[in-house]
Amino acid sequence: MLRSREKMERENMEEHNQSKKRLRVCVATCNRADYSKLAPIMFGIKSHPEDFELEVVVLGSHLIDDYGNTFRMIEQDDFDIGSKLHTIVRGEDEAAMVESVGLALVKLPDVLQRLRPDILVVHGDRFDALALATAAALMNIRILHLEGGEVSGTIDDSIRHAISKLAHYHACCTRMAEQHLIAMCEDHCRILLAGCPSYDKLLSTHHREDYMDIIKSWLGDKVQERDYIVALQHPVTTDIQHSIKIYGLMLDALLSFNKKTLILFPNIDAGSKEMVRVMRKKGIEQHPNFRAVKHIPFEQFIQLVCHAGCMIGNSSCGVREAGAFGTPVINLGTRQTGRETGENVLHVRDADTQNKIYHALELQFGKRYPCSKIYGDGNAVPRILKFLRTIDLDEPLQKTFCFPPVKDPISQDIDHILETQSALAIDLGGTNLRVAIVCMRGKVVKKYTQPNPKTFEARMHLILKMCTDAMRDAVCLNCRILGVGVSTGGRVNPQEGVVLHSTKLIQEWSSVDLRTPISDTLHLPVWVDNDGNCAALAERKFGHGKGVENFVTVITGTGIGGGIIHHNELVHGSTFCAAELGHIMVSLDGPDCSCGSHGCIEAYASGMALQKEAKRLHDEDLLKVEGMDMKLSEPITAAHLISAARMGNSKADAILNKASTALGVGIINILHIVNPSLVILSGVLASYYQAPVQRIISERALLSAQSIKVVTSDLEEPALLGAASMVLDYATRRIY
C-alpha cells in the first residue's frame, strides 16, 4: 500500500509539471544602452528555468564593428543568442534610420515565427525597438515595454509613446511615468511601477574595491578619483545641425578646461557620422587629455561615472544612473528635456557658446550631491519577474484602452462650458452647515443650509445626505461636478483631508478624516482646508487677489482668521497652522483669548470681543446714546457698539479705536514678515476696519510697507467659493 501511494504521488507530480507551462520570453536588444537595462532581467529569467524559457534576439548596432561589436558582451555573459539580425543601413542620416526600420520589419517575421514567444520584451525609445514592437503586434505576440511613459523632448518621445500604444504590458521606472501611461489611456492593471532594472546591478555593485584599477585602465595611471570627466553626447535627430554645433562647443570647452576626459562615441542616430568628423577634426583621439572609446562594459562604465569629477553631454545615463551616485552632471541641449532629474543635474539647454559650457564645468566639476533614487531602489527585476508570472495567456490578446468617460457635447458655446463645470462646496460653520453647487465662474448655482448638529455621527450623516441631494440636483441643473471642497474652522491637514483640532464652536471634531467618507460616498476627489485659507483661495480665483502673486486675506468676523498667498501658492506651514492671524500677540498683558493666551488680535478685534465689550457697556448703562434705536428684546452685538460710536459715544469709540489699533498692528507684523503687495479684509467687520487699518499702516509700518493697499472683499460667500476653488483649480492636478 505504501509503494502504491508513493507511485500515485509521483504520477501526480509528473502530471502537474507537464501541465505547468513555462512562459516563453523573448528579449530583443538593439544596442549597448538597452542591453544594460535588459541584462538584469535576462539573468533573472535565466535563474528561474522552472518558470521561464529565455530566447535572445540581437539586432541593430550590436552587430556593427564601428560601434564595438557589442553582441560579444552578451555572449560573454553566457547567453545563447537565438538570432542575429543585421538591420542597420549605414548612412547615419534620417533616410538610413527609416530604411533600417524597414529592413528590420522584413527580417523579423521569420525569426518571430520560428521562436513563437509568449511575450516579447522591448526597451525604450529606439527606432529598432519600434520595428520590434510593430512586428510583434501585427503577429499577435504579447509585448512588455520597459521605460514607457517617460519624456525626453526629442523624436524619441514619439517613438516611445508609439511603442507604448502597441505594447500589452508596461514596466515603468517612476511614478510620473506611470501617471503618463494612465493619461495615455493604458490599462492601470497592466502597468507595473518597477523602477529601472539597471539600478538593481548599479546599486549593488558600484561600491567595488577595484574601482581605481578600472579608472586607470581606461584613463591612465596618473588619474585620480573625481579628477576626470566622462563625456557622452548623442545627436538630436529633430535638429541635427544644432546638435553638431553643441558637440563642437562642448569639445572646445573640454579642451580649454584641461582635465582628463573619457569620451564615448555617439550612438548610431542620424547625425552621428558628422559628430565623429567634428571630433576627429579637433584631434580628440590623439590629444593627451582625451581617451575616445566606442564601448565600455556596463559594470566598468558605472564605476567610471560613479567616481568622475563630472559627467557632461546629453546621455540618459547622466539624468538617470549618475543621480544614484551623486555625480555632478551637465546636461547639454534639449535631448533630455522633460526627464525627471535629481539636484545633481545642471541644465544648459541653450548651449550656444563655449564660455557658457566652460562656466558650467567650473560650477559642477568636483562637487558631490546627495544620492537620488528617482529611477529605482534596486528591486526592479524581482518585481518584473513576479509581474511576468501573473500574465494569463488565456486572456484575450486584443488590447483595450481605458478612455475617460466622455459626455456628448450639447453645445460648444464657452458660456455653457463655464457654467457646467462645477464644484460641490461645503462650509462647516459653528451654527449652520452649508452645501453649494458652484460653477467655474464662481456663481453659486444652488445652496442648501441646515443647522449644524452637535454630535459627530449626526453631523457626518447630514453632510453626506446634503451632498447626495446636491449631486442629484446637479444632474438636473446640467452641472458636471469635478470634486468636493470642504471649508471648516480649526487646524486642518489638507494633504490627508483631516481636521486636526477644531474651534470651540464645532464640538467633537478633532482628528476627523473628512476626505474618506465623502470620497467613498460620492466617488469624487475631496479637498479640505480651514476657512481662513479658503477665504484666501476664493480671493485668488474670484476676488481682489486674482492675478496678484503675494497677498494676505484677513477675516474679521466672529473670530479673526485668514490665509497667506505667497508666489501664487497657499502657505500652510510645517504643522498646518500658518496664517493663524487672529492669534498674533499685540500685547503681553491684554485680554484673555479663546486660544488660552493673552493680548491676541482676536481678543481685541473679533466680533465676539466687541460683543463682550458692548454687553459690558450695556450692563453699566453706558452703551445707548440719544437717537440710538435699541429694542429691549434685541440681543446686544458688535453692531450696537459700532452704532453707538458713530453717534458720539466716547466709550464705544475708545473700544473700537483700541480694536482697530490692535488689528492694524497685527497686520503690520504680517507685512514685515511676508511682505505681501495687498491686504484683503473679509467678513462682517471688514468695511468698518478698512480705513483705520490703512491709516495705522501708513503711520506705523516701515517706509517700504506704508504704501501697501488695504481693500475690503467683494465676495459674498468666501468660505464656499474658497472650498469650490480648491476643486476648480486642482481637480486635474490632484496634488493639493
Side-chain angles (χ1 to χ4, degrees):
M1 286 178 66
L2 182 62
R3 280 197 296 273
S4 176
R5 191 182 301 117
E6 288 174 350
K7 183 180 178 182
M8 287 177 65
E9 287 175 357
R10 279 198 304 273
E11 288 173 353
N12 289 336
M13 186 65 73
E14 287 171 6
E15 267 182 44
H16 175 72
N17 289 337
Q18 287 172 3
S19 65
K20 184 183 177 184
K21 184 182 183 299
R22 293 191 300 166
L23 192 70
R24 193 175 179 86
V25 182
C26 178
V27 178
T29 173
C30 310
N31 55 61
R32 66 191 181 197
D34 78 6
Y35 181 66
S36 68
K37 315 291 177 65
L38 292 167
I41 299 172
M42 292 161 66
F43 280 114
I45 291 171
K46 190 176 179 181
S47 66
H48 291 84
E50 71 282 2
D51 295 322
F52 306 108
E53 184 180 349
L54 176 65
E55 292 288 349
V56 180
V57 174
V58 173
L59 64 158
S61 59
H62 273 308
L63 303 169
I64 298 178
D65 183 60
D66 285 354
Y67 292 89
N69 280 325
T70 49
F71 74 90
R72 293 197 181 99
M73 66 182 179
I74 303 172
E75 295 176 335
Q76 290 167 3
D77 285 339
D78 202 26
F79 289 114
D80 294 327
I81 300 176
S83 297
K84 295 177 186 173
L85 298 180
H86 291 271
T87 58
I88 297 299
V89 176
R90 299 308 299 272
E92 284 77 23
D93 59 13
E94 295 97 328
M97 289 169 64
V98 177
E99 290 169 355
S100 297
V101 171
L103 183 58
L105 286 171
V106 170
K107 292 187 173 186
L108 278 167
D110 288 340
V111 173
L112 295 176
Q113 207 160 29
R114 174 171 55 82
L115 296 177
R116 293 190 177 280
D118 295 317
I119 189 159
L120 175 73
V121 180
V122 296
H123 167 272
D125 50 22
R126 304 291 300 149
F127 58 85
D128 323 72
L130 179 60
L132 282 160
T134 303
L138 291 172
M139 295 181 71
N140 291 328
I141 297 169
R142 298 168 195 270
I143 302 165
L144 171 64
H145 183 209
L146 303 179
E147 295 188 12
E150 295 185 19
V151 178
S152 56
T154 68
I155 189 64
D156 294 350
D157 278 347
S158 300
I159 294 174
R160 185 188 308 108
H161 300 333
I163 296 171
S164 292
K165 302 315 293 178
L166 292 168
H168 303 82
Y169 305 95
H170 310 272
C172 57
C173 298
T174 68
R175 182 72 64 185
M176 187 179 291
E178 179 188 37
Q179 293 302 313
H180 288 163
L181 287 169
I182 293 170
M184 290 162 62
C185 305
E186 295 299 309
D187 187 347
H188 189 280
C189 297
R190 295 191 171 197
I191 302 171
L192 171 69
L193 178 55
C196 183
S198 67
Y199 269 54
D200 289 25
K201 198 167 191 178
L202 178 147
L203 293 174
S204 62
T205 63
H206 80 274
H207 291 298
R208 282 173 53 168
E209 295 180 359
D210 63 343
Y211 69 88
M212 281 306 303
D213 295 334
I214 295 171
I215 292 171
K216 289 177 180 179
S217 70
W218 289 98
L219 287 155
D221 293 336
K222 295 182 180 179
V223 176
Q224 297 299 313
E225 178 183 6
R226 300 184 187 175
D227 197 37
Y228 63 91
I229 297 169
V230 175
L232 179 53
Q233 180 89 1
H234 300 304
V236 176
T237 55
T238 50
D239 196 354
I240 294 172
Q241 293 307 312
H242 188 59
S243 303
I244 297 165
K245 178 185 175 183
I246 291 177
Y247 191 63
L249 293 171
M250 179 189 77
L251 295 177
D252 290 338
L254 289 169
L255 286 165
S256 301
F257 201 67
N258 198 30
K259 287 288 182 183
K260 275 286 187 182
T261 301
L262 178 70
I263 185 165
L264 279 81
F265 278 61
N267 64 21
I268 201 169
D269 281 348
S272 60
K273 187 185 291 183
E274 289 85 349
M275 292 174 75
V276 172
R277 285 199 194 103
V278 171
M279 183 172 71
R280 287 175 173 158
K281 187 176 180 181
K282 294 181 183 292
I284 295 298
E285 290 173 294
Q286 290 76 41
H287 196 283
N289 268 355
F290 286 80
R291 175 79 190 279
V293 297
K294 294 176 180 176
H295 168 68
I296 301 172
F298 182 71
E299 295 85 350
Q300 297 182 39
F301 184 62
I302 61 174
Q303 301 300 314
L304 293 162
V305 172
C306 175
H307 300 284
C310 181
M311 185 175 184
I312 188 170
N314 65 1
S315 168
S316 62
C317 177
V319 299
R320 294 169 66 97
E321 282 84 354
F325 315 126
T327 301
V329 171
I330 300 168
N331 179 50
L332 301 177
T334 60
R335 188 171 183 265
Q336 301 301 336
T337 299
R339 289 270 194 198
E340 296 172 74
T341 62
E343 60 181 291
N344 64 310
V345 179
L346 175 63
H347 295 283
V348 187
R349 305 210 188 279
D350 189 13
D352 53 353
T353 65
Q354 174 189 336
N355 287 340
K356 191 181 287 186
I357 300 173
Y358 186 90
H359 186 56
L361 285 164
E362 287 182 317
L363 289 172
Q364 286 287 77
F365 186 78
K367 290 177 75 173
R368 228 58 202 167
Y369 291 90
C371 297
S372 166
K373 294 185 180 178
I374 294 172
Y375 287 93
D377 60 1
N379 296 297
V381 172
R383 294 189 185 108
I384 291 171
L385 295 183
K386 184 178 179 181
F387 188 58
L388 285 170
R389 289 188 186 98
T390 64
I391 292 175
D392 183 1
L393 298 179
D394 293 327
E395 277 187 349
L397 183 67
Q398 176 59 51
K399 181 176 176 179
T400 57
F401 300 100
C402 296
F403 295 109
V406 178
K407 187 177 179 181
D408 291 337
I410 299 167
S411 168
Q412 290 300 313
D413 181 75
I414 186 64
D415 290 326
H416 170 75
I417 294 169
L418 291 173
E419 286 290 341
T420 55
Q421 291 190 11
S422 306
L424 206 59
I426 302 171
D427 177 27
L428 185 64
T431 305
N432 291 320
L433 176 62
R434 300 187 301 157
V435 174
I437 300 169
V438 181
C439 73
M440 190 69 78
R441 286 177 168 178
K443 176 186 172 184
V444 177
V445 179
K446 189 168 184 179
K447 186 167 63 174
Y448 312 77
T449 304
Q450 292 284 348
N452 200 349
K454 300 301 180 185
T455 65
F456 168 84
E457 291 80 7
R459 192 176 297 135
M460 282 305 307
H461 177 75
L462 182 58
I463 289 173
L464 297 177
K465 182 183 182 302
M466 291 175 72
C467 288
T468 305
D469 292 344
M471 287 291 292
R472 184 178 59 249
D473 291 347
V475 176
C476 302
L477 293 166
N478 200 29
C479 292
R480 180 167 63 90
I481 303 297
L482 301 175
V484 183
V486 183
S487 169
T488 181
R491 189 162 67 96
V492 176
N493 178 345
Q495 296 172 2
E496 303 294 335
V498 173
V499 180
L500 300 174
H501 303 292
S502 189
T503 63
K504 289 185 177 180
L505 294 173
I506 311 171
Q507 301 298 323
E508 291 189 78
W509 206 249
S510 294
S511 299
V512 173
D513 179 0
L514 283 180
R515 175 177 293 163
T516 302
I518 298 173
S519 182
D520 288 350
T521 301
L522 304 181
H523 307 291
L524 286 171
V526 177
W527 287 265
V528 185
D529 215 325
N530 83 358
D531 48 11
N533 287 336
C534 285
L537 292 173
E539 294 294 339
R540 185 181 70 175
K541 187 166 184 66
F542 304 112
H544 291 301
K546 196 170 184 178
V548 181
E549 189 175 1
N550 301 288
F551 69 89
V552 172
T553 298
V554 181
I555 302 174
T556 57
T558 306
I560 301 287
I564 299 171
I565 300 292
H566 185 64
H567 295 318
N568 292 317
E569 294 294 334
L570 190 63
V571 177
H572 282 107
S574 59
T575 57
F576 313 107
C577 68
E580 284 289 352
L581 310 181
H583 301 292
I584 296 174
M585 292 180 64
V586 292
S587 173
L588 295 177
D589 54 359
D592 295 343
C593 182
S594 61
C595 69
S597 186
H598 306 275
C600 299
I601 297 174
E602 188 167 291
Y604 286 102
S606 68
M608 288 184 70
L610 297 182
Q611 182 184 36
K612 183 180 177 182
E613 289 296 309
K615 284 181 177 179
R616 181 179 63 80
L617 289 180
H618 178 70
D619 292 341
E620 295 173 6
D621 201 23
L622 297 174
L623 180 63
K624 191 174 180 181
V625 294
E626 187 177 348
M628 183 175 172
D629 184 24
M630 281 183 65
K631 297 174 183 175
L632 293 175
S633 60
E634 188 177 16
I636 303 301
T637 65
H640 292 110
L641 190 72
I642 295 170
S643 178
R646 285 174 175 166
M647 298 183 74
N649 187 321
S650 59
K651 292 189 179 295
D653 189 61
I655 292 168
L656 288 170
N657 282 337
K658 184 183 284 189
S660 300
T661 303
L663 181 61
V665 169
I667 290 175
I668 288 171
N669 290 333
I670 299 168
L671 301 184
H672 291 172
I673 295 169
V674 296
N675 193 28
S677 58
L678 179 68
V679 175
I680 303 170
L681 297 182
S682 179
V684 294
L685 297 171
S687 59
Y688 174 78
Y689 280 132
Q690 188 267 333
V693 167
Q694 186 76 75
R695 176 179 51 78
I696 291 164
I697 290 173
S698 65
E699 293 173 353
R700 300 196 180 197
L702 291 172
L703 186 62
S704 57
Q706 286 178 5
S707 61
I708 291 172
K709 195 173 180 182
V710 179
V711 298
T712 57
S713 175
D714 294 332
L715 302 179
E716 292 183 5
E717 299 281 6
L720 287 173
L721 291 178
S725 75
M726 291 191 286
V727 177
L728 300 174
D729 280 346
Y730 299 105
T732 54
R733 286 202 280 166
R734 293 200 178 199
I735 60 169
Y736 179 74

